[in-house]
Amino acid sequence: MHLKNFLVNYEEILQKISSNKIILGIITISLLVFSHVFTGSEFLTYDDNWYIYENQNVIDISWESIKNIFTKLQGGQYSPLGELYHSILYALFGENATAFKICALFVHLLNTYLLFNIFIRIFESKLFVSIIVLFFAIHPMQVETIGWLSVIFRNAVTLMFLGYFFYIKYLESNYQKSRLIPVLIFYILAFLTKEQAILFPVGLFLIHIIKSDKIYTKWFIIEMVCWTLVALVFGLITIEVTKTGGPNIIDRNVSFYGKILLLAKTIIDYCYNFLFPYQLSFSYPYPNNKFNISVFNIVLAALLLFLGSFIAFRNKVFRFGFLWALGFLSLGLAFAFFHLRDSYMADRYVYLAIIGFSILLYKTLIFLKEKGLHKTGFLAILLLFIISFSVISFDRVKAFKNNKNVWAQALEVNPKNAFAYNSLGYYYRNASNLDSAYVLYKKALKLQPDHYLAHTNITKVLYDKKQYDSALYHISEAIKLQPTYARAYENRAVLYSILDKRELYLQDLNTLIKLSPDNAKFRINRAKFYFKQKRYNESLQDALELIKKPSNHNEAIFSLAGNNLLILNKFRESEIMLSKAIELNPKEGKNFYLRSVAKVKSNKWGLGLKDALQAKKLGYKVNQGYLAMLAREVKKRNN
């Protein structure tokens, strides 16, 4: 009897249940769905390495590293609060990836809690709010944002939701301007966590039009213009920061018509993956160069947009969901249209857009109920989505446990994914399984001969196998395909050095210095090369250029400069440079020996003997005849 009563009156029953009990239930379900997170996991080598466990600012937290986090760029992005978050976790857990992923899950659950509290203030129906928040919490497309630790946008969303919460407070206070201060503060903090938070004003606009009756007033327009200007400033900052590095923007020379085809496919695929998330992947490679995409996709995408716009015009809540989905998916669609990433779409881009998709699904089912769908049938469909999303997410979490799983699963979804073959090859190379890595890289190149990363990576396998000529061929191909890829020039320079192709080695060093003028390593290598070739003036010039930048001050540079000056008979200058090298590293015997020679050349015999003896004490092999000569000269001069 109770069950029958619930099946008929579930909406009224849920409306009477306290909000705390509902959100507790949602979080409990989410914990069960994502329970695999609590068992052993590892970092993904795709971004987790350079962003977390190889990032010196993260692994060695100090006041200096904190200063670097806030004053220097990392990988073509500026996300200091994201780096700081990871540095704190690293200080607590070290390289325990499981602990990191548990924290990521709890951030997601915090976002779920905040979303519930935001929506319960906006919408009257607890069933509506519960379903939307539950879909946001457990949808399979959310697994990537939890399982891939580099997706720090989840933390930015926490700050965005706090900003929305305070914005609602502002609306409820009858527009007290001072209440906008915390909203702006949380926007800034969210942007400093991840640049994707630039879309924050989308939520402000939609919350305003759904929550307030005072829309399109003068103050509303002024306010939205101000938020847009802030977003524009943040956007310009992001563009400038991105120019300093990060993911390469690949020009695929696609026509405008081809871009429209891909945009239509992207819209359809996101909608399909939301409704039927059975073939999700960590990587969605671009279609082949012929862009074999049916024109039907354009018609279907246009129909979806037209139908959505038509219903949105007539229904306030549907409009909220439609604009929310499009607004928060806009960056993902832009990435596809302008080819700004390696994949044309990604699950993580839908982290907030899922809320909009969920609203559209719910309102569509409400429409069907109004047209004759029984209340029990409506509930059955909702339960079917909840159960299927839960089961798929529960299983999908396992794919993100390690690098092998995530790329093997991507290949199950799409066996022609060259990017996945390359990445799985990277896993096997790191595991010292060179033969398997080689086979996978060859498969990647067979599918996509212009895959410059696969050429670069197979070079490293061939290098380890000591097949230097073959390695040189592949790395040269990578450079032809991506002439600004510094890592490829660096790898080829190593091969030229091994093969004793000195002039070619120097050419690549020169290119590296042009591509990365702030990277001291390349200029140091050139200075050492010049020194070995007895081109002392050129070696000295490079060393002095390095010394001009305080951040490059290290013992090796001053030692090299001092050695060059010694050979060039500039003894006083040599002594100064070598003294600086000794100050930076007083345990390097060679520098004491070189300074001994410089002092002797300046007739400082006693000081020269002292340095020579110190060099010997530190383990440097000082010629006994040289020591004896110094001792005689000092004794003679003392007499």
Side-chain angles (χ1 to χ4, degrees), residues 100-355:
F100 273 75
K101 292 190 181 184
I102 291 171
C103 291
L105 173 59
F106 281 116
V107 170
H108 176 64
L109 295 178
L110 176 58
N111 291 340
T112 301
Y113 173 80
L114 291 172
L115 178 64
F116 183 87
N117 280 278
I118 290 167
F119 273 20
I120 208 71
R121 289 172 172 269
I122 297 175
F123 302 103
E124 295 180 358
S125 171
K126 284 186 178 179
L127 176 63
F128 170 80
V129 173
S130 300
I131 294 299
I132 303 309
V133 174
L134 182 59
F135 283 180
F136 169 79
I138 66 170
H139 196 281
M141 295 180 83
Q142 305 292 51
V143 174
E144 181 175 303
T145 303
I146 298 166
W148 185 18
L149 297 170
S150 296
V151 187
I152 200 66
F153 181 56
R154 82 184 88 80
N155 294 56
V157 168
T158 304
L159 297 164
M160 292 170 68
F161 281 173
L162 287 170
Y164 293 154
F165 183 81
F166 279 99
Y167 189 72
I168 292 171
K169 291 279 191 180
Y170 154 74
L171 295 177
E172 292 173 346
S173 72
N174 198 23
Y175 306 97
Q176 290 182 20
K177 309 301 186 293
S178 61
R179 290 184 176 268
L180 286 174
I181 295 174
V183 181
L184 177 60
I185 290 173
F186 279 114
Y187 186 13
I188 294 170
L189 293 175
F191 178 74
L192 293 176
T193 302
K194 186 63 177 175
E195 70 276 1
Q196 286 170 265
I198 192 175
L199 296 174
F200 179 75
V202 171
L204 296 181
F205 173 78
L206 295 174
I207 289 171
H208 195 123
I209 64 173
I210 198 76
K211 176 76 174 173
S212 174
D213 294 329
K214 297 180 180 179
I215 59 174
Y216 309 122
T217 62
K218 181 179 179 181
W219 172 245
F220 172 80
I221 294 171
I222 292 173
E223 183 190 327
M224 290 302 140
V225 168
C226 289
W227 289 119
T228 302
L229 290 174
V230 174
L232 180 61
V233 171
F234 287 166
L236 293 173
I237 292 171
T238 300
I239 291 170
E240 291 303 312
V241 168
T242 304
K243 290 179 182 178
T244 65
N248 290 301
I249 296 175
I250 303 170
D251 182 8
R252 292 180 173 82
N253 296 318
V254 179
S255 67
F256 181 77
Y257 175 67
K259 290 181 177 182
I260 294 295
L261 281 173
L262 184 61
L263 181 62
K265 174 178 171 56
T266 305
I267 292 171
I268 294 168
D269 286 353
Y270 273 127
C271 293
Y272 181 86
N273 282 358
F274 170 76
L275 290 171
F276 311 106
Y278 306 108
Q279 293 289 304
L280 301 181
S281 173
F282 189 52
S283 169
Y284 299 91
Y286 281 87
N288 61 41
N289 293 330
K290 295 180 181 180
F291 269 81
N292 186 22
I293 304 173
S294 171
V295 179
F296 175 74
N297 285 326
I298 295 182
V299 176
L300 181 57
L303 182 62
L304 287 173
L305 291 174
F306 174 78
L307 184 61
S309 300
F310 177 76
I311 300 173
F313 182 76
R314 300 165 62 90
N315 186 282
K316 191 174 183 179
V317 176
F318 190 94
R319 178 165 66 246
F320 180 91
F322 183 72
L323 295 177
W324 185 288
L326 282 181
F328 283 108
L329 193 57
S330 58
L331 284 181
L333 297 176
F335 289 154
F337 184 81
F338 294 106
H339 301 81
L340 299 179
R341 290 292 186 266
D342 296 311
S343 300
Y344 75 96
M345 59 185 287
D347 293 350
R348 62 190 179 276
Y349 297 156
V350 198
Y351 187 67
L352 281 179
I354 278 177
I355 298 168

Side-chain angles (χ1 to χ4, degrees), residues 574-584 591 595 599:
S574 173
E575 185 181 334
I576 292 171
M577 291 294 175
L578 292 167
S579 294
K580 185 63 177 176
I582 290 168
E583 180 185 328
L584 292 167
N591 293 328
R595 191 172 71 172
K599 286 180 176 179

Side-chain angles (χ1 to χ4, degrees), residues 24-39:
L24 180 62
I26 292 172
I27 290 175
T28 301
I29 293 170
S30 303
L31 283 170
L32 292 172
V33 167
F34 292 105
S35 57
H36 282 303
V37 167
F38 293 91
T39 57

Side-chain angles (χ1 to χ4, degrees), residues 537-553:
N537 282 308
E538 291 163 291
S539 178
L540 176 62
Q541 184 179 353
D542 269 344
L544 294 177
E545 282 295 321
L546 288 164
I547 288 170
K548 288 179 182 179
K549 296 183 179 181
S551 60
N552 291 334
H553 284 194

